[in-house]
Amino acid sequence: MPEYQYIGKPARRVDALEKVLGTAKYIADRKLPGMLHARCLRSEVPHARIVKLDVTPALAVPGVRGVITSEDFFEHGLYGFPVKDKYMLAYQKVRYVGEAIAAVAADTPEAALAGVQAIICELEPLPGVFDMEHALDADAPQVGPDRPDGEHPNFLDKLIVRKGDPLAVWEQSPIKLEERYTVGPQEHAYIEPEGVLAVPTPEGGVVVYAPNQSPFINHGNLALVLNLPHNLVRVIQPPVGGSFGGKDDIIYESSAQVARLALITGKPVRMVFSREESLIVSYKRDAMRMHIWLAADPDGTLRACKFDGLLDSGAYASESSFTAWRASIHAMGAYRYDACHVDITAVYTNNGYCGAFRGFGNTEVCMAIEQAIDEMAYKVGMDPIDFRLKNCLRLGDETVHGQRLTESVGLAECLMAVRRLSDWDRKRAEYTRRDVACNVSTTNDIRRGIGVAALYHGTSLGAEGQDYANATIAIEQDNSIDITSGLTDYGTGSRTVFTLIAAEELGVRPERIHMQRPDTDTAIESGPTVASRSTMLGGNAMRIAAMNLRQTLDYAAADLLGCELHQLIRHGEAYVGPAEEPVPWERVVAHAREMGLALSAHGKWTAPRINWDHHAGRGTPYMAYHFAAQVAEVEVDMGTGNVQVIGFWAAHDLGKMIFPQGAYGQLYGGIAQGLGYALMEQITFVNGYIQETNFESYLIPTAVDVPEIVGTFIEAPFSHGPYGAKNIAEPAMVPTAPAILNAIYHATGRRVRDLPANLERVLLGHDLAKGGSPRACKLGLHIA
Amino acid sequence: MPRFDYVRAGSVAEALRLLAEPGLTSRPLAGGTDVLVYIRHERAPFDRLVDISRVPELKIIERRGNEVVVGGAVTYTEAAESPLLRQVAACLVEACLTVGGPAIRNMGTLGGNVVNAAACADSLPPLTCLDTMVHLRSLAGERTMALSEFIMGPNRTAIRAGELLTHFSFPVPPDGARQVFIKLGRRNAQAISRLSIAAIGRLDGQGRADYVRLSPGAAMPTPRRLTEVEAMLLGQVPTDELLIAAGVRSAEVMIAVTGRRWSTEYKEVAIQALAERVLRRVLVL
């Protein structure tokens, strides 16, 4: 393996200091003279027709400078990708509690609230759909848009995978399993609630500071709904306080609202959500109901998998078609089967709305399939790791989709690594024996268990769309180096990754390099910042840009040293020629300037072509896969259902580690988020009203809930990745919940097939319905 | 932000005068960990907050003969760090250490916890086990009543307008009595109690229980000792059978008080386990 100077070596995160010192300026920290404060009138009912909307009384409120509705946008502000079904402000109908109807800009937040409350808005309530199971009933109220194709209007999409006839195999199989699993919505819980700031420009355009994931999508949306040419719209990315998939649509919508208000009033306009507004209004991870059939031979060979999933997209499509697609591709897990069918159906309801969230469909299906696989291991009487090793995808295997895996398949190594690190065999035997010994449970019994889950996760967009990224690099007059990417760093560490790659290729110290935050005026569009694609796509683009610039400097160095290119060697930053006298990098740069060479370069990388046949349910869904295995050790209080995760081990095949602290940070953070998903994070919609409107009711893990995590990386390089790298951000959390659930089963002998595994589910085997009311939402939307 | 006035009192007398000032609705402010949360969502039911958090008389923790006196404005952190309370009121100290996180414990007070009177308040089970008396003062004079009488229901107490909870008092538990508090939450910090329980117990020379106190939290609308369970154990050797029966009886008493609610199916099982567990920890060596 080549020896690198910076790749894979410890490095300081480029934004560490500003975060630690508190000098990073988030939107809520930004103020401009004369800046107005914006706030939305939001629906307090889950489904209604807008009968009357009169904003003139709001304009009469002292301090109010502007009020907008859907009439203020081109085509009422219709937007959305891949499905265009949402408006920047509600048009004709509202479909969920919290949906924005009008937006007010005023001198103070108090005046903005008074303005919102002065708007006359008459809503005629419509019956709603609150149970995804009944969304497609013939007599279900219409939530989704009209479907000219004859489909039910509440039908959003159906994604399939097809190989053979799994039910026929299942019927004949000596060992079979049929089970149902459910997951509820999950809140991203980013530490920074939504906020945007728009500044009108003298030329009639607008600059929007928005902590979005994909500034160019925001840019395109803004130009469209504001009916402005692209050159009059600029989107700048400030520091982002976390996203996890959550700062797409909701930020684009808020951006359009403040941008229009800024254009109307001629003043800067800022909108910042309260935590309550964030929880009520923002999209969540989708809820899913899953039904699995598995068949195996007595020797433990998996034969068939049928997977039916129903996905609740809530009131709008957002990214649910893509989520459902990724779910369908991964639903059967990282195993070989003779036959496999997957059907994931996404539907509209009035339960808030759902969109992207770390793992993006795989987190949901992995919870189900990795439990089902565990249950199957028990049925055939095999150790869960042995069972997975027997059936898991290996180099040269063909996936059920029809893709031959020709490189970078480290799953078996991951399984063996967590087995060793966790002391699996000893603990497994010890806890299993104890379990048999005291099969009469006493209320004061604390039992231990250990469980495993395996993972594969397709890298980048796959067949979701065109997969490319751009990067630029330039040497400034002071010999510092500016780099840009169209991909954003919302906490993922990608700015540091790009810095290290540029440093490696140019042979300069990372301290020379300044990685700008994306600005649509200076960076080049690079597709969305999603799907854990930054390192591979943006990293490759940066590598190409730096290689291009390096070539220019090499020419200059050879000219300066009077030698051939191949005679150049590097000593630190310095160039050394046949005379063996080192020439400082700065002199080479100065010489390049004298030669009239351009000291900037561009890099674009496009992923290898792949294909997916949506009708046949077959093809090559992703260019490569991340593989992983995680092991959880738990203590379960048999008297109360309390679960403590007391140990955690994770081995991930990320191809090649570029930035170690960043990779481990993603791993630990992802596992903490997965632990919350497994045990405590619970969103309850009661007749469309979310009950958890702040962090006193929506619980995420604290430092004392997360055990010490032992992580290790398996590097099975991918030839198209930069230095062999694949990804880590999303896969880190995906197998965590099933590993914990499998450990709970090992401890208790009882399966928890619904998330989260809260006190009630672990103790009683089912959740208790507390009921609920619209009260928390109604209070939360009026916080002064 | 809601608008209201703020004034800081330097003494109990000054606080009482400010609270009674006509023409204004004044409310005491101790740690603010309940009142600030409340006014985030609801209109402030007062015009002025009278800050009592730095009144020296309300910060005392001392022993007076066979009694312990704890001021109303003593914070959870101060209580937990008090050598006296660690010695004589270990279950109260343990309860204080489970409240919120460090920031909440540095601000929140025992007086505030009791006057707010949430059914899940973590100080209530230990204070109830300790047979705590509540001392109130107003310009009209002083009143003293048992904690169990003071709290009339969830978020309802016998405190009157203009009245201040100045301090608590409780008898020092008998020598050798052990104290335990267990909190069950949905996570390990910053969690509201799903169920909690405090117990004090001692065995005599023959291994029989000669002192038992048991009180659950987040189980019933008002705090009370489970005297029915205590009676089962007094004078008895705490065998496994007896402790299990005590757990079962605890659940029966709870259900007799509350009837069957949405959460009863869970709490019925969990309180059995917790009651048995705390009793075992205070009575079995």
Side-chain angles (χ1 to χ4, degrees):
Chain A
M1 198 174 264
E3 187 52 38
Y4 297 117
Q5 220 175 337
Y6 301 111
I7 298 300
K9 302 288 165 60
R12 192 170 86 182
R13 209 183 153 99
V14 298
D15 52 349
L17 213 53
E18 64 176 30
K19 301 280 172 66
V20 173
L21 295 176
T23 55
K25 291 274 178 236
Y26 298 91
I27 291 297
D29 302 319
R30 292 175 186 233
K31 287 190 183 96
L32 285 173
M35 182 180 83
L36 303 179
H37 301 264
R39 180 171 187 131
C40 284
L41 169 69
R42 296 188 178 279
S43 174
E44 293 182 25
V45 295
H47 200 197
R49 206 182 319 282
I50 301 172
V51 179
K52 185 177 180 190
L53 184 57
D54 179 4
V55 301
T56 45
L59 287 164
V61 171
V64 170
R65 303 288 171 185
V67 186
I68 55 168
T69 66
S70 65
E71 300 298 325
D72 293 284
F73 294 113
F74 178 71
E75 288 185 339
H76 299 100
L78 184 64
Y79 81 103
F81 183 78
V83 180
K84 243 182 165 178
D85 67 353
K86 200 169 191 312
Y87 297 89
M88 295 299 183
L89 287 166
Y91 173 58
Q92 296 182 330
K93 259 178 76 168
V94 288
R95 299 200 222 161
Y96 81 99
V97 174
E99 184 163 354
I101 300 168
V104 175
D107 294 337
T108 63
E110 291 77 16
L113 176 59
V116 162
Q117 288 170 341
I119 294 171
I120 295 169
C121 175
E122 283 176 26
L123 298 177
E124 177 194 316
L126 296 167
V129 177
F130 305 115
D131 181 353
M132 64 172 118
E133 225 55 86
H134 293 291
L136 300 183
D137 289 356
D139 58 351
Q142 176 175 350
V143 182
D146 292 334
R147 291 289 293 235
D149 59 0
E151 289 282 4
H152 195 295
N154 296 341
F155 172 81
L156 174 57
D157 212 342
K158 180 170 179 163
L159 288 306
I160 61 166
V161 175
R162 290 287 180 268
K163 178 186 180 182
D165 183 354
L167 268 193
V169 177
W170 188 84
E171 295 289 354
Q172 304 295 321
S173 178
I175 301 176
K176 53 181 115 184
L177 171 144
E178 183 192 351
E179 284 297 347
R180 291 169 190 275
Y181 307 83
T182 69
V183 292
Q186 186 182 19
E187 159 67 22
H188 306 81
Y190 21 72
I191 196 166
E192 178 206 23
E194 296 78 355
V196 282
L197 168 63
V199 185
T201 64
E203 54 185 340
V206 64
V207 177
V208 176
Y209 295 86
N212 43 201
Q213 292 196 184
S214 305
F216 288 92
I217 294 180
N218 199 358
H219 183 256
N221 283 341
L222 287 168
L224 179 75
V225 302
L226 300 174
N227 206 12
L228 285 175
H230 276 225
N231 64 309
L232 289 185
V233 178
R234 180 178 181 188
V235 178
I236 299 173
Q237 177 96 354
V240 184
S243 174
F244 311 108
K247 285 177 178 167
D248 274 333
D249 313 44
I250 187 71
I251 298 290
Y252 309 147
E253 196 175 297
S254 304
S255 295
Q257 293 158 6
V258 292
R260 176 53 85 203
L261 285 167
L263 288 166
I264 286 177
T265 61
K267 289 170 174 258
V269 180
R270 189 183 72 178
M271 183 187 287
V272 176
F273 285 19
S274 67
R275 183 59 68 181
E276 288 86 349
E277 191 171 18
S278 175
L279 264 146
I280 296 165
V281 172
S282 73
Y283 58 86
K284 309 283 179 269
R285 181 192 299 287
D286 47 272
M288 270 186 84
R289 295 188 190 169
M290 296 163 279
H291 190 179
I292 298 177
W293 295 258
L294 283 181
D297 287 347
D299 72 349
T301 306
L302 274 170
R303 289 295 176 201
C305 173
K306 178 172 163 55
F307 191 115
D308 281 355
L310 182 62
L311 184 156
D312 185 352
S313 183
Y316 291 98
S318 185
E319 307 248 344
S320 291
S321 295
F322 287 157
T323 315
W325 180 70
R326 186 176 278 272
S328 74
I329 299 303
H330 296 89
M332 73 300 297
Y335 306 100
R336 296 179 303 270
Y337 300 94
D338 299 335
C340 174
H341 279 195
V342 180
D343 295 76
I344 308 285
T345 305
V347 297
Y348 288 110
T349 70
N350 298 103
N351 295 325
Y353 78 113
C354 294
F357 195 147
R358 196 177 204 166
F360 203 68
N362 196 11
T363 312
E364 295 88 312
V365 298
C366 188
M367 170 276 186
I369 191 66
E370 279 300 314
Q371 280 208 87
I373 291 289
D374 217 63
E375 297 187 50
M376 202 52 158
Y378 280 89
K379 275 185 191 283
V380 299
M382 282 179 74
D383 173 271
I385 290 184
D386 288 336
F387 183 67
R388 285 172 173 83
L389 282 169
K390 185 177 177 72
N391 292 287
C392 74
L393 292 171
R394 291 168 189 262
L395 202 61
D397 283 346
E398 189 182 281
T399 69
V400 296
H401 324 94
Q403 179 175 8
R404 182 75 60 192
L405 300 174
T406 56
E407 59 169 325
S408 193
V409 185
L411 180 52
E413 290 85 343
C414 289
L415 282 162
M416 290 185 287
V418 289
R419 164 175 248 159
R420 188 180 67 250
L421 290 170
S422 66
D423 199 8
W424 169 272
D425 293 315
R426 182 186 67 77
K427 287 175 180 167
R428 190 81 194 170
E430 187 183 321
Y431 303 159
T432 305
R433 222 177 15 252
R434 201 276 332 273
D435 195 39
V436 175
C438 44
N439 52 1
V440 182
S441 128
T442 82
T443 54
N444 283 295
D445 195 5
I446 306 282
R447 294 199 196 172
R448 284 191 178 186
I450 189 164
V452 67
L455 160 86
Y456 82 139
H457 190 85
T459 59
S460 198
L461 300 177
E464 278 174 33
Q466 286 229 313
D467 215 358
Y468 61 88
N470 288 285
T472 69
I473 187 163
I475 302 175
E476 301 296 319
Q477 287 301 321
D478 64 357
N479 292 334
S480 67
I481 297 165
D482 267 1
I483 56 176
T484 74
S485 168
L487 300 175
T488 61
D489 183 345
Y490 40 81
T492 59
S494 62
R495 288 172 78 209
T496 309
V497 167
F498 298 154
T499 300
L500 295 176
I501 289 174
E504 185 72 41
E505 289 304 326
L506 271 187
V508 299
R509 288 173 294 112
E511 293 74 32
R512 273 195 195 279
I513 299 171
H514 176 63
M515 168 78 206
Q516 299 187 355
R517 287 203 174 77
D519 171 343
T520 56
D521 271 9
T522 59
I524 303 174
E525 200 272 329
S526 295
T529 316
V530 300
S532 311
R533 65 192 286 274
S534 292
T535 297
M536 282 184 81
L537 276 292
N540 269 328
M542 187 60 68
R543 191 179 186 193
I544 292 166
M547 284 177 358
N548 287 338
L549 181 59
R550 162 87 182 250
Q551 177 178 285
T552 302
L553 292 175
D554 285 356
Y555 280 128
D559 188 62
L560 182 67
L561 295 166
C563 67
E564 299 292 323
L565 284 173
H566 67 83
Q567 292 176 295
L568 291 171
I569 56 168
R570 297 292 293 273
H571 185 264
E573 290 190 328
Y575 277 84
V576 183
E580 294 188 6
E581 189 66 25
V583 175
W585 184 79
E586 288 84 350
R587 247 191 88 198
V588 174
V589 171
H591 189 70
R593 285 200 187 98
E594 284 161 22
M595 291 171 73
L597 297 173
L599 291 181
S600 61
H602 163 247
K604 178 174 185 178
W605 190 73
T606 304
R609 274 188 76 86
I610 47 173
N611 64 85
W612 182 252
D613 184 334
H614 281 275
H615 298 289
R618 297 194 60 74
T620 302
Y622 296 96
M623 57 181 156
Y625 297 85
H626 176 113
F627 294 91
Q630 296 185 351
V631 165
E633 185 177 356
V634 301
E635 273 184 2
V636 183
D637 185 333
M638 300 302 285
T640 65
N642 183 272
V643 176
Q644 297 292 321
V645 182
I646 59 170
F648 208 93
W649 300 266
H652 284 246
D653 162 21
L654 45 44
K656 165 75 190 166
M657 182 163 59
I658 306 272
F659 168 36
Q661 289 96 327
Y664 281 103
Q666 287 294 319
L667 183 66
Y668 301 150
I671 289 166
Q673 203 160 32
L675 186 149
Y677 189 50
L679 297 179
M680 63 187 80
E681 297 190 31
Q682 189 158 13
I683 293 282
T684 319
F685 282 103
V686 175
N687 296 324
Y689 291 91
I690 189 172
Q691 300 300 302
E692 296 79 11
T693 60
N694 208 327
F695 291 141
E696 97 291 356
S697 45
Y698 188 75
L699 302 187
I700 61 174
T702 69
V704 287
D705 295 291
V706 181
E708 186 175 332
I709 298 165
V710 177
T712 191
F713 291 113
I714 306 294
E715 296 187 328
F718 173 51
S719 59
H720 292 289
Y723 315 94
K726 294 187 288 191
N727 59 3
I728 176 67
E730 290 176 279
M733 91 166 284
V734 177
T736 305
I740 292 171
L741 292 162
N742 290 337
I744 292 173
Y745 175 78
H746 187 226
T748 65
R750 297 198 294 259
R751 283 278 167 199
V752 181
R753 297 190 182 89
D754 309 293
L755 283 190
N758 57 21
L759 296 169
E760 292 82 356
R761 284 186 171 126
V762 174
L763 186 70
L764 306 171
H766 58 88
D767 203 9
L768 298 178
K770 186 183 183 180
S773 78
R775 186 178 151 80
C777 286
K778 294 193 172 188
L779 290 174
L781 291 174
H782 290 275
I783 286 174
Chain B
M1 280 295 286
R3 295 192 179 277
F4 51 84
D5 203 358
Y6 165 92
V7 60
R8 194 203 301 165
S11 67
V12 170
E14 188 189 359
L16 293 177
R17 204 170 53 244
L18 290 165
L19 287 170
E21 204 172 303
L24 275 175
T25 307
S26 296
R27 288 276 184 278
L29 170 73
T33 55
D34 285 310
V35 76
L36 292 180
V37 174
Y38 183 84
I39 63 174
R40 184 169 171 82
H41 294 280
E42 311 271 353
R43 186 176 295 280
F46 47 79
D47 310 310
R48 183 171 70 179
L49 288 176
V50 178
D51 186 347
I52 56 165
S53 66
R54 297 184 219 183
V55 174
E57 303 142 87
L58 301 177
K59 305 288 280 182
I60 51 166
I61 305 176
E62 61 189 41
R63 185 170 177 155
R64 294 180 186 161
N66 199 36
E67 224 177 44
V68 176
V69 176
V70 181
V74 168
T75 67
Y76 302 111
T77 300
E78 288 162 348
E81 290 176 352
S82 155
L84 175 63
L85 294 180
R86 288 159 87 131
Q87 192 195 335
V88 302
C91 64
L92 178 61
V93 167
E94 282 185 52
C96 288
L97 288 173
T98 69
V99 174
I104 299 285
R105 293 198 288 273
N106 288 342
M107 294 301 293
T109 65
L110 288 173
N113 200 226
V114 168
V115 174
N116 188 56
C120 57
D122 289 319
S123 71
L124 295 181
L127 289 173
T128 305
C129 271
L130 290 162
D131 292 328
T132 299
M133 300 296 288
V134 174
H135 299 261
L136 305 159
R137 205 197 298 176
S138 67
L139 291 180
E142 294 183 27
R143 295 197 295 155
T144 301
M145 64 179 81
L147 178 69
S148 51
E149 290 164 37
F150 177 70
I151 294 177
M152 300 163 70
N155 304 110
R156 271 193 320 123
T157 70
I159 203 160
R160 296 172 185 154
E163 214 167 27
L164 207 56
L165 190 163
T166 54
H167 61 282
F168 304 101
S169 65
F170 53 83
V172 174
D175 281 349
R178 281 195 281 181
Q179 308 189 13
V180 170
F181 173 83
I182 297 178
K183 169 169 172 170
L184 181 62
R186 294 195 183 275
R187 65 180 170 192
N188 294 334
Q190 312 229 73
I192 293 164
S193 279
R194 194 77 192 84
L195 206 54
S196 65
I197 197 158
I200 307 177
R202 191 176 72 166
L203 296 178
D204 66 15
Q206 281 73 50
R208 298 191 191 88
D210 72 349
Y211 188 88
V212 187
R213 296 284 186 274
L214 183 66
S215 177
M220 295 180 291
T222 56
R224 79 180 199 49
R225 279 170 44 198
L226 299 180
T227 48
E228 302 88 337
V229 180
E230 294 169 5
M232 286 171 69
L233 293 153
L234 264 183
Q236 304 294 317
V237 174
T239 58
D240 277 355
E241 294 70 33
L242 187 57
L243 291 169
I244 290 167
V248 172
R249 185 84 186 102
S250 299
E252 287 170 2
V253 174
M254 176 186 75
I255 294 167
V257 171
T258 62
R260 290 209 159 261
R261 305 174 64 242
W262 72 272
S263 58
T264 305
E265 186 183 352
Y266 174 77
K267 289 189 176 176
E268 180 179 16
V269 183
I271 198 173
Q272 281 183 43
L274 291 185
E276 183 194 329
R277 196 170 298 172
V278 280
L279 290 168
R280 191 180 296 275
R281 280 174 55 188
V282 296
L283 293 175
V284 180
L285 298 175

